[in-house]
Amino acid sequence: MSDNTPAQSSSDPTDDPWASLRAFTGARIALGRTGTSVPLRESLAFRLAHAHARDAVYSVLAAEQLLTDLGQLKLAVCQVKSQAQNRQEYLQRPDLGRKLDEASKALLAEQAATCDIAIILADGLSATAINEHAVPLLRLLLPQLQRAGFRLAPITLAEQARVAIGDEIGALLKARLALVLIGERPGLSSPDSLGAYFTYGPRPGLTDEARNCVSNIRPEGLVYPLAADKLFFLLQESLRRQLSGVGLKDESGLLG
């Protein structure tokens, strides 16, 4: 008697056909559904990601640990604050996060000496990003800058700070270029993304077209070695060509 049993598929019916695509992105794709809703697992994962993003916005700089780690890089560190008095005011008044308070201005004026690059670490909208990624990036970037002979200002650690605070800091330190490492606005898959913004000829009043940005620096995004190489190339070009912003393009050939 013939066997009419259907042949079994060689693939496991429980295999997720989207798994290979998920390996290339942290985006929320192919969540599936239960009736008209997403599965409970995905609903809970969304709530957890949202909680991580909110926590990042209200995170604070791990100042003591950062000072210890930065001390190992053998550069002086200045701690400054913006005019925002607390996190709530910082979130409600972005303008205050772009300006230094009076005590910070006086401190930086005392440190002023003509230099090529002023590096600023700013909490931004995710101090978690600075706490986790700034020092590992600097461990790779600083040796390249030092070997190239660039004169570096003391590193500035800025609290309740926005990107534009780097313009005032760079001007007070008499730097040719200001590099701001800052925690970026958290996403639902990236609460700890680090951004690097730099401006040639920093001074108060500049706007975003005067800056360049290298974003999403973290192990799950633009990894430290590649980010350091991109930044080194761009910073060299900025200082050589005496410009930044829309006039300066990334022609390094390095893939992100």
Side-chain angles (χ1 to χ4, degrees), residues 48 61-62 64 92 94 97 106 114 121 127 137 147 164 182 191 205 235 238 246:
L48 179 61
L61 290 173
E64 290 187 12
Q92 294 175 343
T114 302
L121 308 187
L137 175 63
R147 284 194 298 268
I182 191 167
L235 295 174
S238 180
V246 296

Side-chain angles (χ1 to χ4, degrees), residues 99-126:
K99 304 172 186 175
L100 292 167
D101 66 13
E102 293 302 319
S104 297
K105 290 180 186 179
L107 174 63
L108 292 177
E110 293 174 0
Q111 300 291 326
T114 302
C115 59
D116 295 309
I117 301 173
I119 297 175
I120 299 102
L121 308 187
D123 48 7
L125 289 170
S126 176

Side-chain angles (χ1 to χ4, degrees), residues 4 24 38 52-53 78 82 101 114 128 143 157 159 173 179-181 186 190 204-206 214 220-221 242:
N4 293 322
F24 295 97
V38 297
H52 284 319
C78 296
S82 76
D101 66 13
T114 302
T128 300
L157 190 60
E159 294 183 74
L173 290 174
L179 170 63
V180 180
L181 303 182
S190 56
L206 293 178
V214 176
E220 300 82 6
Q242 301 182 26

Side-chain angles (χ1 to χ4, degrees), residues 27 106 118 144 166 173 200 205 255:
Q144 296 185 67
L173 290 174
Y200 182 83
L255 296 177

